[in-house]
Structure formats: C-alpha cells, structure tokens
C-alpha cells in the first residue's frame, strides 16, 4: 500500500465526496418530493390521470438507471434538453427514485386507518386539511423506515453518475487509479467514504424514527 | 337547552354493487330525542347511521337534516364539498374504534376541528377543548396522547371532540362495543348526560339497558330493512314481530350464564 498518493489526490477525492453527498441529498429530496406528488395524484386524481402516472412508474421502474441517464444526457439534446453533467445527473436521480418513493408513500398512506380519515371528514374538515393534518403526518411515520432504506440504496446509485462525467467520488477514484495505478488504495477510500455516509444516514434515520413514534406506540 | 336537529329519512336505498344494504328506509328522528338502533350484525345499522352524515352515499331516497337534504342538491346531483362540510359541522359522530388521531394529544384532537373547521383562534380552541374534556371527566388527561389512555378514556375524548364543535345532532356507532366491560359504564354515563341536555342522538348499540332506559324510540333492523320503530318498551319488552323476538332471545341467551 502506498498512502502518500492521498496527499496529492486528497483534495479532489474530498471534492468528489462532496459532490456525491450533494447529488445524493438533492436527488433524494427532489425524488421524495416528486414521489409524494405522484402518490397524492394516485390517491386523489381522476382515473385517467392515475393511468398516465402508472405508465410513467412502469417505464422508470422497468429500465436500468444507466439507460435512463444515457437517454437524458445524450438523448436530451436531440429534443432541446441540453444539460451539464451535474444537473443532468440530479434530474436523472430524481426521476429514477420517484416511482420507488411514490410506492413507499402510497403504502404509508394506506397504513393510515380509514376511520381516522372519516373522523376528520365527519367534523367537516376539508380534504386538503385532512391531507396536511392527518394523512401526511401519519403516513410519513409509517413510511419512514422504508424512506430511509431507499435513501441508503440511492447513495450507491450515485456512482453511476460517473458515467456521464459527473465529478463525484467514483469519478475521482477512477481518475486517481488511472493516473497512479493505486487501485487498492483508491477503492478502499471509496468504500470507507460510502460506509461512513450510509452509517450516518441510518443512524440519523433511527433517531428520527424513535423521536416521532414516541407517542404512537400503544402502552402495553 | 341546546339547539337540536331533526332527521327525516324517506325511502332511502343503498347498494354495495348488487348487494342492497338498505331497503326503503323510512325513519323520523325528532329533535332532542334519543333514537337507538338495534339488530343483528350486518343488518345495515352502521350503513344507515353513516347515510345521515353522508359518510356513506345513499343511492336513492332522501335524508333531510332540519328539512335540508344532505349529500344531494337534487336527485343524482351531488352537493358541493363545501356545502356538505358545512352541514357536517353540526353533526357529531362517535365511532366504535374511537378513531382518535394518534399523533395529537387529547386536547389537540378536540381542538383540531375548532381550528380547521370553525376557524377559531388556537388559544380559544384550546380553552374550549379543555372545557369539553372537563365535561367528559378528562380535564387531567388533556396533554396525554391516545396511546396513553384506556379505551373508555379514548372514547370519551372522541365524544369531547364531537361536542366541542357544538353539534345539533350526534351519531354513535356502537360506541361501547370495543371496550372492556368495566369501561362501558363511564362512556354510557357521558352519553346519558348528553341526552339529558336535550341533544338529538342516534345510537347504534347492543346495550339493551341503555336503549331501554335512555331511548325515546328504538328501531330494529334486519337484512337492510328497518323492521319496526317504536317505544323501547314496545320493542324490547313486548315485541310483536317474530324477528325481534328471536333477536332478543339470542341476545338474552348470550348475556346470561
Ligand atoms: N363498504 C362495503 N362494501 C360492501 N359491502 C358492505 C360495505 N359496508 C357494509 N357492507 C355490507 O352491508 C351490510 C350492512 O353492513 P353494516 O351497515 O356495517 O351492518 P351493521 O352495522 O348492522 O353490522 C353487511 O352485509 C356488510 O357486509
Ligand atoms: Mg356496524
């Protein structure tokens, strides 16, 4: 092992890691937001709208992320969508994650007992208040473990962005390997960074879960 | 005395697909009176009750609250959501499963409707919520979440949630059926108080004692039909219809040992 190369490549690796976190965080947030919108559409929109959304879900879930990125990045300009690598990567991650997040929200919503929704209707609450005050908070709680889990899966999908030259961690690691032939060290750095990221997310997730379910667990 | 609503149901029919859950229901519920609905499970009691606040959409006939048609502007023309919500504001409902919102404290459960529906300020809503909780004997539980309350306490919070809205009509769907026997009394006693204040109440129940002592009229349902509506005495003690007799016989057999 030869760790001295890290002195030279450390800054670019750190920058790559920064980009990885950025892509992951924004891709997750936007993907969740889009997923939430899709889940709400599927619950409330007219039949024909839900069919269109369903086709979107099937297409995105039925194709590899890599292919979606290629289509977006190299095919986009053909229809006037010219994006730099980073925004293209972010948009790709958002789209890729959205149907999975939508599915997670959908089952979270389904876990909210009908009776609690009916109780709100019975006192005359509007559907939008019901969504904001009852469906979302309770649905989110049941969805939380799956949301955290899929966010962790998404961390690993960010490496695919290197293929469209997003300068994230894998991209930097590959550059370093190619220039120094220090494959082992480079990939150890990659593993270490990802382990740290995943560990952090799951710990934060567990804390969050413990905090917001505190009042919801029946005393036995 | 509270302002109390009347309910008129005329030829109400309700289908679930091909299955007819309500058959030509005619029922008059006078203001300030207690009407109990009894009958075997699956006979349509909940469906009837839920048609009164249009949680269940009836397919034909009329349900009128104080003369005002609920759910429809005209046959086959649904009422707007806004108008329906307005009508529901003055109809309280209590469910078998309580249906409290588990992420809110008892007080928040009660204040929610006041804030969102009645548009009362948070401070006023909290004050009124505390009053409503005091009325059902739960002043000291206002900061507790439902998961920390017994079934009887949860159901009383649910009643407080309904009465805080100052309804003119209260619907109860088997309010004590999910409770351990020793907790039934506290809920029935709150209901008795409400009845004494002149609230119009429609109560689906298996508590024959409550029906006998508190109801002004009792309706017996079977297979989607409202077989008979009469005084508690006529239905519970001197039933003429063979179906009622057989229902009560089964009931008494099950409740004696
Ligand atoms: N959402 C529904 N879909 C289909 N059938 C239903 C539905 N709700 C109730 N039913 C049927 O309608 C009948 C009456 O139900 P319900 O009013 O709940 O009876 P009860 O309250 O007297 O026990 C039952 O046979 C029940 O299976
Ligand atoms: Mg029922």
């Amino acid at each position: 092992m030869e760790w001295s190369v890290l002195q030279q490549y450390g800054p670019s690796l750190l920058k790559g890691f920064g980009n990885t976190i950025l892509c992951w965080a924004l891709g997750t947030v936007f993907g969740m937001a889009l997923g939430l919108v899709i889940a709400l559409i599927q619950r409330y929109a007219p039949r024909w709208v839900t069919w269109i959304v369903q086709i979107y879900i099937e297409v995105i879930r039925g194709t590899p992320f890599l292919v979606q990125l290629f289509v977006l990045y190299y095919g986009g300009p053909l229809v006037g969508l010219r994006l730099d690598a980073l925004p293209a990567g972010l948009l790709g991650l958002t789209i890729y994650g959205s149907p999975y997040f939508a599915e997670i929200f959908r089952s979270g919503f389904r876990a909210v007992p009908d009776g609690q929704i009916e109780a709100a209707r019975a006192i005359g609450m509007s559907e939008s208040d019901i969504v904001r005050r009852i469906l979302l908070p309770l649905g989110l709680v049941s969805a939380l473990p799956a949301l955290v889990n899929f966010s962790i899966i998404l961390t690993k999908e960010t490496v695919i962005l290197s293929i469209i030259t997003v300068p994230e961690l894998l991209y930097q690691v590959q550059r370093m390997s190619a220039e120094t032939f220090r494959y082992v060290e480079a990939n150890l750095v990659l593993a270490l960074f990802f382990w740290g990221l995943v560990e952090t997310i799951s710990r934060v997730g567990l804390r969050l879960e413990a905090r917001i379910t505190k009042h919801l667990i029946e005393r036995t | 005395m509270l302002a109390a609503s009347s309910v008129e149901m005329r030829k109400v029919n309700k289908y679930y697909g091909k299955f007819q859950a309500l058959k030509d229901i005619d029922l008059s519920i006078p203001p300030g009176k207690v009407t109990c609905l009894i009958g075997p499970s699956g006979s349509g009691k909940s469906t009837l009750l839920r048609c009164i606040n249009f949680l269940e959409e009836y397919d034909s006939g009329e349900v009128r609250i104080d003369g005002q048609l609920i759910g429809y502007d005209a046959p086959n023309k649904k009422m707007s959501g806004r108008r329906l919500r307005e009508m529901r504001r003055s109809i309280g409902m209590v469910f078998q499963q309580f249906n409290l919102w588990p992420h809110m404290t008892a007080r928040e459960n009660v204040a929610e409707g006041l804030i969102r529906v009645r548009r009362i300020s948070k401070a006023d809503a909290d004050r009124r919520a505390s009053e409503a909780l005091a009325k059902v004997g739960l002043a000291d539980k206002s900061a507790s979440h439902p998961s920390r309350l017994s079934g009887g306490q949860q159901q009383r919070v649910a009643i407080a949630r309904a009465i805080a809205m100052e309804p003119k009509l209260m619907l109860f769907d088997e309010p004590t059926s999910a409770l351990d026997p020793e907790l039934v009394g506290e809920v029935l006693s709150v209901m008795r108080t409400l009845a004494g204040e002149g609230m119009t109440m429609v109560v689906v129940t298996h508590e024959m004692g409550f029906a006998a002592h508190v109801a002004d009229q009792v309706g017996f349902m079977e297979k989607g039909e409202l077989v008979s509506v009469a005084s508690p005495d006529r239905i519970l003690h001197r039933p003429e219809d063979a179906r009622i007799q057989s229902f009560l016989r089964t009931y008494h057999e099950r409740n004696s040992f």
Side-chain angles (χ1 to χ4, degrees):
Chain A
M1 297 252 200
E2 181 58 76
W3 292 107
S4 60
V5 287
L6 282 185
Q7 279 188 344
Q8 189 192 341
Y9 283 88
S12 66
L13 288 174
L14 274 178
K15 241 177 111 198
F17 189 49
N19 279 332
T20 292
I21 292 178
L22 181 81
C23 290
W24 168 76
L26 290 180
T28 301
V29 167
F30 293 150
M32 266 192 209
L34 184 55
L36 181 58
V37 170
I38 291 174
L40 286 171
I41 288 175
Q42 287 199 304
R43 198 177 163 95
Y44 291 103
R47 211 27 108 60
W48 65 271
V49 179
T50 67
W51 282 339
I52 295 174
V53 170
Q54 195 58 39
I55 291 171
Y56 168 85
I57 289 177
E58 301 293 337
V59 168
I60 303 298
R61 283 209 300 201
T63 51
F65 182 37
L66 184 62
V67 173
Q68 293 165 18
L69 271 183
F70 272 141
V71 170
L72 190 65
Y73 190 62
Y74 297 109
L78 301 178
V79 294
L81 184 69
R82 215 170 291 277
L83 290 172
D84 286 341
L86 190 67
L90 274 179
L91 182 59
L93 264 181
T94 302
I95 292 173
Y96 169 74
S98 61
Y100 298 97
F101 281 122
E103 194 56 34
I104 292 169
F105 283 121
R106 198 174 65 96
S107 60
F109 291 160
R110 268 219 312 254
V112 180
D114 286 339
Q116 287 167 20
I117 307 284
E118 286 186 337
R121 282 202 188 114
I123 57 170
M125 267 170 84
S126 65
E127 287 303 314
S128 62
D129 276 341
I130 292 174
V131 169
R132 281 191 305 118
R133 301 288 302 168
I134 316 288
L135 188 72
L136 274 183
L138 290 173
L140 280 179
V141 169
S142 14
L144 190 62
L147 288 176
V148 171
N149 188 46
F150 189 71
S151 305
I152 287 172
I153 291 174
L154 270 189
T155 59
K156 293 159 211 162
E157 300 294 342
T158 58
V159 297
I160 294 177
L161 301 184
S162 64
I163 288 169
I164 58 164
T165 72
V166 175
E168 47 70 74
L169 187 58
L170 180 63
Y171 182 85
Q172 302 292 9
V173 161
Q174 283 174 333
R175 200 166 63 95
M176 172 178 149
S177 314
E179 289 171 12
T180 64
F181 305 107
R182 291 286 162 206
Y183 299 104
V184 177
E185 291 85 342
N187 283 288
L188 271 175
V189 168
L190 182 74
L192 203 67
F193 274 146
F194 267 95
W195 175 77
L197 180 60
V198 167
E199 193 63 19
T200 309
I201 299 169
S202 61
R203 268 164 202 262
V204 170
L206 282 177
R207 279 223 186 144
L208 212 60
E209 213 178 308
R211 245 182 83 169
I212 62 182
T213 55
K214 196 171 64 182
H215 297 301
L216 302 177
I217 297 158
E218 287 284 341
R219 190 178 49 179
T220 46
Chain B
M1 241 359 171
L2 318 132
S5 289
S6 64
V7 182
E8 289 288 332
M9 303 181 83
R10 287 290 161 259
K11 296 250 170 293
V12 174
N13 289 284
K14 166 73 190 172
Y15 294 83
Y16 292 112
K18 287 216 165 73
F19 175 76
Q20 187 167 11
L22 293 181
K23 298 174 184 163
D24 278 337
I25 302 293
D26 281 307
L27 176 62
S28 293
I29 292 161
K33 303 286 186 199
V34 176
T35 302
C36 283
L37 292 175
I38 62 169
S41 118
S43 57
K45 304 181 297 295
S46 298
T47 306
L48 188 159
L49 194 72
R50 292 157 57 85
C51 282
I52 297 177
N53 64 355
F54 211 63
L55 273 186
E56 216 66 74
E57 300 178 3
Y58 53 97
D59 296 304
S60 68
E62 293 184 345
V63 178
R64 292 182 180 274
I65 319 285
D66 293 329
Q68 210 183 346
L69 196 61
I70 188 164
Y72 299 96
D73 288 328
N76 295 322
K77 186 172 178 300
K78 282 256 193 70
M79 176 178 260
S80 75
R82 176 181 296 270
R83 289 236 311 146
L84 180 59
R85 290 198 295 276
E86 248 163 53
M87 290 191 73
R88 280 177 176 164
R89 268 161 57 155
S90 53
I91 308 173
M93 186 164 205
V94 173
F95 302 83
Q96 182 174 348
Q97 299 299 336
F98 328 135
N99 292 337
L100 294 178
W101 301 306
H103 56 310
M104 300 181 190
T105 64
R107 193 204 282 115
E108 287 165 346
N109 265 277
V110 180
E112 185 67 12
L114 296 172
I115 297 169
R116 308 285 149 197
V117 181
R118 302 274 309 266
R119 307 270 168 212
I120 289 172
S121 75
K122 169 109 174 47
D124 274 352
D126 277 349
R127 194 176 42 74
R128 289 203 202 184
S130 299
E131 284 167 16
L133 284 169
K135 192 167 171 195
V136 298
L138 290 174
D140 55 331
K141 296 292 181 192
S142 60
S144 303
H145 280 79
S147 59
R148 297 284 176 273
L149 301 175
S150 73
Q153 290 170 332
Q154 289 187 57
Q155 193 60 298
R156 283 187 283 153
V157 173
I159 294 174
R161 173 172 69 180
I163 61 177
M165 298 290 288
E166 298 174 340
K168 298 193 237 164
L169 164 66
M170 287 278 293
L171 311 174
F172 295 85
D173 194 354
E174 300 200 32
T176 58
S177 296
L179 298 178
D180 291 335
E182 73 272 19
L183 303 177
V184 168
E186 61 190 70
V187 171
L188 291 182
S189 119
V190 169
M191 290 169 62
R192 223 174 268 124
T193 307
L194 263 181
E197 290 171 1
M199 176 73 76
T200 309
M201 294 171 44
V202 188
V203 185
V204 173
T205 189
H206 291 293
E207 293 293 329
M208 297 306 157
F210 181 84
H213 293 111
V214 183
D216 297 286
Q217 58 176 2
V218 175
F220 175 80
M221 291 195 71
E222 198 190 64
K223 300 201 174 111
E225 277 179 71
L226 188 53
V227 173
S228 171
V229 186
S231 71
D233 183 53
R234 285 281 303 279
I235 299 285
L236 299 174
H237 300 131
R238 297 181 287 115
E240 281 158 17
D241 194 291
R243 290 169 286 185
I244 307 180
Q245 290 169 355
S246 123
F247 171 75
L248 289 174
R249 206 175 309 123
T250 316
Y251 173 81
H252 288 305
E253 275 162 18
R254 211 173 283 159
N255 287 275
S256 59
F257 46 90

